[in-house]
Amino acid sequence: MQQKLLFPIVLIALVLFSWLGNTFGTKWVVMSIIGFGLGFTLSFSRFGIVFGWREMLTQKNSYYVRIHLLTIAIEILLFTICLSFSHSLFGDKMTGNIMAISIPFIAGAFLFGIGMQLAGCCASGTLYCCGEGRPRFWIVLLFYGIGTLIGNSFKHELSSIFPGHIVTVKDLTGNLWTGMLVNLLFVGLLYIFFCHIERKKTGQLTSIFTSGSLFWKNSHFTVLSGGIIIAILNSSIVAIHGSAWTITGAIYESALHISSFFGFFDGNPKLAKPLFLNPMVGMFAAGLLGAAFSACLLRERNRTPITIQNTLAGIIGGLLMGCGGAYAACNLGGFFDGTASGSVHGWLWMLMALCGSLIGIRLRKLFRI
């Protein structure tokens, strides 16, 4: 994108913030401003999960995965502080992002892992790539939305057949703060484990902290600085709203409302409420604008041409992420937010999505991507 688009993007964002404030209230404005910051940071730092996991699984390069763990460690500390209060700053009950572990959840995380490797992006990656104006990822987003509609169509029946159980480290340890310490200990063990794998395979370890450009490199944020900013911004959403940023729910409700214009899902109770009543929808829209703003500032862009192969992979990947996300949420709600909230489902999501990624990486060869 060219810098001449900066002003229109800012103008659209201001109109969005103003409308949300007048229609829904201050909380929606604040959360959308943070959403703008998250979209900007994701793009401006190239922070994402898919490439980092692929590097770890194929090249044993743990650099990105270790930064993910550091991001989670910061969130664990900040989320726990927030969760020690009963209510958020705007009066919502402080709940965090807790999900029940069930057969559909496990299958959903596995499918999401396959889908994100085929699509070349996860939920947050889809957001910022779309915001940057990359057409292939708008195709992914379209089929991600369709996937959520398909997945949620069977959710009630599957949930009754396969009931889930909530497991938190707080329940296991008996205390919120000891649960936090156990969670941080597990992060540390995983960090050491990934360091060991990289050293064993390559004979060296890509350093995160001894680089000369820790937080700023080539006129943009480093992945490390992006992770730190994202952890702080995401934790601020918990303080404001009682739970953290999620993307799949916003995509689902948007797809639901759009499909209703064509006569589908008329009886769904969610259609009785305004779309933007869910503040995550406003955050998603603002996140797209934040990523677009970043794209105007960044000079270099990795523009992968659209081919039949990567389009088909994007369609299948989007459907799998949408279907899987309906039961297990995305890389945010399922993994980052879950682990930081002290829910064991977050770590199980990581395991199952890693297993799915192994298959997704192999399937990429079929599409020559």
Side-chain angles (χ1 to χ4, degrees), residues 275-299:
L275 174 60
F276 283 84
L277 185 62
N278 178 356
M280 299 300 165
V281 177
M283 286 190 69
F284 185 85
L288 291 172
L289 293 170
F293 187 82
S294 165
C296 291
L297 299 179
L298 292 172
R299 296 177 181 177

Side-chain angles (χ1 to χ4, degrees), residues 17 20-21 23-33 90 92 240-241 275-280 282-283:
F17 300 151
L20 287 172
T23 307
F24 299 103
T26 305
K27 186 181 82 168
W28 279 258
V29 179
V30 176
M31 290 180 66
S32 293
I33 291 173
F90 283 88
D92 299 287
I240 293 167
H241 183 58
L275 174 60
F276 283 84
L277 185 62
N278 178 356
M280 299 300 165
M283 286 190 69

Side-chain angles (χ1 to χ4, degrees), residues 23 103 167 193 232 263 300:
T23 307
I103 297 299
V167 184
F193 173 71
I232 294 171
E300 295 183 2

Side-chain angles (χ1 to χ4, degrees), residues 183-195:
N183 232 357
L184 288 173
L185 176 62
F186 191 64
V187 170
L189 291 174
L190 283 176
Y191 191 96
I192 294 170
F193 173 71
F194 286 123
C195 287

Side-chain angles (χ1 to χ4, degrees), residues 10 19 58 68 85 114 129 154 188 199 213 230 279 288 304 320 325-326 333 340 365:
V10 172
W19 177 76
T58 60
H68 298 160
F85 296 88
I114 298 173
C129 288
F154 302 97
R199 282 199 186 99
S213 305
I230 288 166
L288 291 172
T304 304
L320 290 175
K365 298 177 182 179

Side-chain angles (χ1 to χ4, degrees), residues 166-223:
I166 292 174
V167 184
T168 68
V169 287
K170 176 185 175 181
D171 295 333
L172 296 176
T173 62
N175 183 276
L176 179 67
W177 298 101
T178 53
M180 179 195 75
L181 293 176
V182 169
N183 232 357
L184 288 173
L185 176 62
F186 191 64
V187 170
L189 291 174
L190 283 176
Y191 191 96
I192 294 170
F193 173 71
F194 286 123
C195 287
H196 172 72
I197 289 178
E198 183 174 344
R199 282 199 186 99
K200 185 176 180 181
K201 176 67 176 181
T202 66
Q204 60 183 3
L205 182 67
T206 307
S207 177
I208 295 175
F209 300 106
T210 58
S211 170
S213 305
L214 269 180
F215 304 111
W216 186 265
K217 186 176 182 180
N218 298 330
S219 300
H220 60 81
F221 295 151
T222 63
V223 180

Side-chain angles (χ1 to χ4, degrees), residues 259-272:
S259 64
S260 69
F261 288 113
F262 300 95
F264 297 104
F265 306 104
D266 285 338
N268 194 300
K270 288 185 178 293
L271 294 174

